[in-house]
Every structure is written in C-alpha cells, then in structure tokens.
Amino acid sequence: MEKLFEIIDLHVSVEGKPVLKGVSLSIYKGDLIALLGPNGNGKTTLFMAIMGHPKYRIEKGDILFNGLSIIDLTPDERAKLGIFYAFQNPVEVPGVINADFLKTALNIKEKKPVSFVKFYHEMNESVSRLQMPLEMTKRSLNVGFSGGEKKKNEILQMLLLNPSLSLVDEIDSGLDVDALNLISEIIKTEHEKQKTFVVISHNSRFFEIVKPNRVIVIIDGLIQVDAGPEMLEVISQNGFASFEGVANHQISSLGLCGVKKGEH
Amino acid sequence: MNINYEVFDSKIIHNYLSHDSFDYKITSRKAIALILSLKDYGIKTINIYLEKQASLVLSVFDFTKTNTELAINLYLQGKEARCYLGIATIANKVAKKYQVQINNKKPQSVSELEIVSVARNGGNVSVNGYSKIYRNSHQAMVTQKARGVVFDDDSMIKLAPELRIDHNDVVAAHSLSVGEINPDEVFYLTSRGFSKSEAHNMILRGYFRDLVLKSHSQEPDVLYQEVDHV
C-alpha cells in the first residue's frame, strides 16, 4: 500500500501541558482508520496538530505528508495539500454567508475563480446528497445551525473540497439516527473511491456502516493499540481500561487479536 | 415596518460633500437613504433635520487611509420621525474620530445608532455617541449598538455610547463590545485553505455585512472591496 501520511514520535503540548507523548503512525492511501480512546487522551489534539492549530505546539517529532514535512506549514498550506479537518465543534462566523465562503474556498483550492454555474451545480448536488435545505447555504456560516446541521455543513465542505485525507472528529455527535446513517453512508461511499479517512467516534452504529480497516487507540497521549477492525468488538465489550499501560506488542498476548504497528 | 427609501449615494451628493459642512432637511413623510463613502471628501460636519414622519437611513462608510474627524448631528424634530445611523470605519495606521449626537425631540420618534469599527497597525478609532430623548417625547425609542475589533496591541478603539433621557414613557437600550478578532474563526477559515489575510478579509466583510445591508446600497460589492483594500 502507498504511504500517504506519517507521524514520527510526535510530542504536542497545549498551553505548556504535554498531551501527545510520542505518537508514531503511518497512514496508507485508502485507509479508513477508527481513532478511539477515552475522552481527553489526545485524539482531537492529534487532529489539531496535524492541521496546524497554533495553540497545539509540536515539541518534538515530525509529520510527513507524501514524504514531505508539514510541521512548518501554515494551516492553509496544509489544507491546500489536501488535508481536511471536519471539526467536532464547527465555528460560527457571523456575517459570512455560507455559499460565499464555500465558493471562495473552492476558488482557492482550484487556484482560479470557479464559474458560478459549475459551483452552483456542485454545491446543489452535495446539498441534495446531504438532504440539506439549500436555504442553509444562504445563511451566515454555522450561525444558528443546529448541531446536526453544523455536522452536515462540515461534510458539505469536505465533498466540495475533495481532500485526499479527511480527519473527521466525532461527526456523529448531534446527529439524529437518520442523519447519522446518511453521513455514515457518504463517508463509506467516499472511502470506496480510495479516499483516506481517520475518524473519531464513540458510536458503534457509525462504525457498523463505515467499516474501518484499522483501529487505533490513544490513551494518555500514546498509541496503545494499532489493530484490525475486530478490535472494535473487543473495545465494545471491554472498554479501554484493559489497554492502559499495555504496549502494542502485548495486545495479542491478551487475546485481543491485535496487530503490530507497521503490519499493513 | 416597510418604508420605501429614495436612495442617494456619495456620487449624487458629491457637490455638497466637498464642503466642510453638509446640511440637509428631510421634509414631512419623505424617506431618504444616504450612503456616504468618505473617500476623498473633506467633510467635517453633517447636520440632518427630520420633520414629522420623515425617515432617514444614513450609512457612513469610512474606509479611507487618511485621518477622519467628523461630527454628525441628527435632529428628530417632528413627531414619529425615525432614523438609522450606521457608521462603519476601519483605521489602518490612521485616526478616526467621530462625534455623534442624535436628538429625539418629539413623541414616538425612533432612532438607532450602530457603530462597527476596526483598528489595525496602530490605528485609532474614537466614537462618542450621544443620544438624547427630550422632555415630552413620549413613546420615543432609542437604541445604540457599538462593536469594535482591535487587531494588535498598538491599535486602539474607544467607543463611548451615552444616553440622556428626560422623559419616562420611552424605550432606550445600548450595548457595547470591543475585542480581538476571534482566533477560532481565523483557524476555521485557514483550515479550508484561506490565507490568514484572506481569512481576515472574509471575517471583516461579515463584520460589516449588516451595515451594508441596512444601507440600501445598490453596489454592496464595491463597499466590500473597499474593506479588502484597507
């Protein structure tokens, strides 16, 4: 498999507090990785560090995208490489009209102004796919959107910007069961087009549809498990407690069907 | 309340604006929207008088790269006169000083003052907004809203809304907020490929959007482009 992304011994602190303490991970083209772990153990921090949020300070280590280090790049430069982060809590931007924002983002990605007809066609298609009212594109970006509407709007941006790596952070939270099924199916369909995903979710229903090929567990800022999809069932039954302080190579000895890092 | 405004912009009243003072009277039942883009005009004082049931929307867009010192006095001297005054200003390395006085002199007069300002690169904005409800102006309504965004430590915004109320049976409210540009908004936009400066421009356009909409401008894009260029 072609390696798309590599994280090497990544140490990240937030406001002086160490959160990631040496994360190493390879992501291959077409991977759909379930990133799991107890709350507050570093999953979102990993996404933020990849995307280049200024509050998340990289103390040590490197992040390579297609073999090139990105840690000195600004967030927009990372986005232009094809990395997309679907926010857990999408930010409200008053006065910025959703459609204007989308069109400008698309212009930037295409490095030229996209014709209104092409943009409208693409936006309309994605909006229909997400079963969103078109009226939402005329409102201020995320302002007054319900939790579910905000999540759909994140996926709308993902569909329009067509990234090669999508980091999807708890997209299921705030979604009703129908919306959850819809978005899960969209991610599944996009994955079938050989797109690469890393998804954080605590919802087993979500993973029943999207079907990750790898499961990674972060506990206390370290990857404790890098295993196949069968690990979902183990976690569902036993929780995360049994992994704490257990090195990855010990997982198989616990009878948890683990695989070692790099065996992909 | 739907009012059909007759719209005048800076181009139309150009001859008046080149003088120090601009004096205007809106006669009974007339509704006027004035859009003043202060580019290249040396005006120092605006006095506008509203007669009975006259309506005014006055929108001042000051995105010039020069210092501004402007006094605006509005006199609601007829019953049920109403006005909206919007001031949008960006001070980039320059100083903007506004002195606003709105006089609700008659019953059921309605005035609304909205100030949106940005200071960057050592820019300085100072707006004193004084609204007065006169005695016997029963059921008059006054609102003042002021917002400011400061980009850096060298810049300053001083907004001073002030209400004086000399009658009991009225409605009056004011709000004020000054802060930095929201870094979460900037990160959100940059994560979608906007450079930091493109993100700032888009956020600022949004910041002024309400004022542009309320101005009745038929060329809103021109105003937004001026925001981009400051």
Side-chain angles (χ1 to χ4, degrees):
Chain A
M1 287 172 85
E2 186 187 334
K3 194 185 281 184
L4 178 71
F5 200 80
E6 190 170 10
I7 297 167
I8 304 162
D9 192 26
L10 193 69
H11 291 67
V12 175
S13 65
V14 182
E15 292 169 350
K17 184 188 168 204
V19 180
L20 298 183
K21 301 164 183 173
V23 168
S24 293
L25 173 67
S26 294
I27 300 172
Y28 299 87
K29 194 175 175 195
D31 264 348
L32 197 163
I33 297 174
L35 182 59
L36 307 179
N39 291 326
N41 275 244
K43 302 183 301 295
T44 296
T45 295
L46 179 60
F47 281 1
M48 289 292 196
I50 292 171
M51 208 62 236
H53 194 296
K55 267 193 190 169
Y56 294 74
R57 187 183 162 90
I58 294 178
E59 305 288 355
K60 188 181 166 194
D62 207 349
I63 304 171
L64 308 180
F65 188 70
N66 285 322
L68 296 171
S69 173
I70 63 166
I71 58 171
D72 292 328
L73 300 184
T74 53
D76 58 302
E77 290 168 331
R78 300 178 197 211
K80 283 168 190 149
L81 289 175
I83 304 170
F84 179 87
Y85 174 47
F87 284 63
Q88 185 180 353
N89 298 306
V91 178
E92 297 186 0
V93 192
V96 171
I97 299 303
N98 201 9
D100 293 345
F101 159 73
L102 294 168
K103 172 115 176 27
T104 311
L106 203 56
N107 288 349
I108 290 168
K109 190 211 159 210
E110 298 288 335
K111 297 178 185 157
K112 62 179 182 189
V114 176
S115 79
F116 180 76
V117 175
K118 181 175 184 272
F119 166 70
Y120 188 80
H121 174 74
E122 286 184 16
M123 184 179 74
N124 213 12
E125 196 175 76
S126 299
V127 162
S128 305
R129 213 173 145 191
L130 282 157
Q131 297 174 11
M132 290 166 72
L134 194 59
E135 185 268 335
M136 275 177 65
T137 63
K138 297 172 188 164
R139 286 162 56 185
S140 281
L141 179 55
N142 293 326
V143 177
F145 287 22
S146 69
E149 287 172 335
K150 284 181 179 171
K151 296 304 175 77
K152 282 188 173 184
N153 206 42
E154 293 294 288
I155 298 300
L156 172 63
Q157 293 166 47
M158 186 190 82
L159 292 173
L160 286 171
L161 296 174
N162 194 23
S164 43
L165 172 65
S166 297
L167 310 168
V168 181
D169 196 348
E170 294 198 29
I171 200 71
D172 50 284
S173 65
L175 293 179
D176 60 46
V177 66
D178 293 330
L180 173 66
N181 289 344
L182 179 73
I183 285 184
S184 306
E185 288 291 350
I186 287 173
I187 290 175
K188 183 185 168 198
T189 307
E190 292 302 303
H191 177 235
E192 284 165 0
K193 297 174 187 168
Q194 280 300 296
K195 301 277 177 58
T196 308
F197 286 88
V198 184
V199 292
I200 298 172
S201 174
H202 298 288
N203 191 325
S204 56
R205 172 75 188 138
F206 177 69
F207 288 125
E208 280 170 21
I209 300 173
V210 299
K211 296 195 186 308
N213 64 315
R214 288 168 68 188
V215 175
I216 287 171
V217 178
I218 291 187
I219 296 174
D220 194 22
L222 286 166
I223 292 183
Q224 298 289 2
V225 177
D226 184 349
E230 63 280 359
M231 187 56 66
L232 285 171
E233 182 58 29
V234 175
I235 292 166
S236 169
Q237 287 180 11
N238 302 334
F240 296 115
S242 57
F243 301 132
E244 288 183 31
V246 178
N248 188 67
H249 65 273
Q250 294 176 294
I251 296 296
S252 54
S253 68
L254 288 170
L256 298 177
C257 313
V259 291
K260 292 178 187 175
K261 282 186 246 182
E263 287 184 354
H264 300 281
Chain B
M1 186 178 194
N2 278 333
I3 299 172
N4 273 336
Y5 285 93
E6 201 175 344
V7 181
F8 297 96
D9 65 17
S10 307
K11 279 176 257 173
I12 298 170
I13 52 174
H14 177 86
N15 288 338
Y16 295 96
L17 291 175
S18 54
H19 302 301
D20 269 7
S21 173
F22 173 68
D23 289 77
Y24 197 84
K25 181 186 277 188
I26 303 176
T27 51
S28 188
R29 293 190 179 81
K30 285 276 272 184
I32 302 287
L34 281 174
I35 302 158
L36 303 185
S37 180
L38 289 189
K39 206 158 54 177
D40 303 326
Y41 300 117
I43 189 163
K44 298 274 186 251
T45 310
I46 295 171
N47 297 310
I48 299 181
Y49 305 85
L50 290 93
E51 296 189 335
K52 187 180 173 185
Q53 292 177 337
S55 296
L56 167 72
V57 170
L58 172 59
S59 307
V60 179
F61 295 99
D62 181 4
F63 303 137
T64 59
K65 290 178 182 172
T66 53
N67 293 337
T68 301
E69 198 165 340
L70 180 61
I72 302 172
N73 303 305
L74 305 180
Y75 302 90
L76 286 74
Q77 54 193 27
K79 191 182 171 189
E80 295 174 39
R82 53 196 307 133
C83 75
Y84 164 83
L85 169 59
I87 299 173
T89 183
I90 302 177
N92 185 357
K93 297 181 187 168
V94 294
K96 307 285 183 184
K97 196 172 175 186
Y98 283 82
Q99 196 76 39
V100 176
Q101 187 167 337
I102 302 178
N103 302 282
N104 284 57
K105 292 184 142 188
K106 293 290 178 185
Q108 293 168 291
S109 55
V110 178
S111 70
E112 185 182 350
L113 170 63
E114 187 169 6
I115 302 158
V116 178
S117 58
V118 172
R120 61 199 304 184
N121 298 318
N124 193 321
V125 177
S126 161
V127 184
N128 288 323
Y130 176 76
S131 297
K132 181 176 178 184
I133 300 178
Y134 283 67
R135 197 177 299 170
N136 298 324
S137 298
H138 61 88
Q139 293 177 358
M141 285 177 69
V142 172
T143 35
Q144 295 183 328
K145 252 194 304 191
R147 288 185 294 149
V149 171
V150 181
F151 266 63
D152 45 74
D153 291 344
D154 298 330
S155 301
M156 197 176 85
I157 293 181
K158 187 182 161 201
L159 304 174
E162 187 184 346
L163 289 169
R164 178 169 172 168
I165 303 166
D166 287 343
H167 194 82
N168 282 331
D169 175 22
V170 298
V171 176
H174 68 136
S175 64
L176 166 69
S177 65
V178 179
E180 296 174 350
I181 197 158
N182 184 342
D184 290 335
E185 292 179 13
V186 176
F187 177 66
Y188 189 75
L189 266 58
T190 55
S191 78
R192 301 305 187 239
F194 291 70
S195 68
K196 207 169 173 181
S197 119
E198 287 166 335
H200 284 166
N201 282 348
M202 180 136 264
I203 291 166
L204 286 187
R205 277 178 172 227
Y207 201 58
F208 290 112
R209 187 168 179 273
D210 261 5
L211 266 73
V212 172
L213 286 177
K214 286 177 184 168
S215 75
H216 297 258
S217 171
Q218 287 162 357
E219 295 179 318
D221 287 345
V222 174
L223 294 169
Y224 289 131
Q225 281 160 17
E226 285 182 25
V227 173
D228 292 348
H229 290 139
V230 183

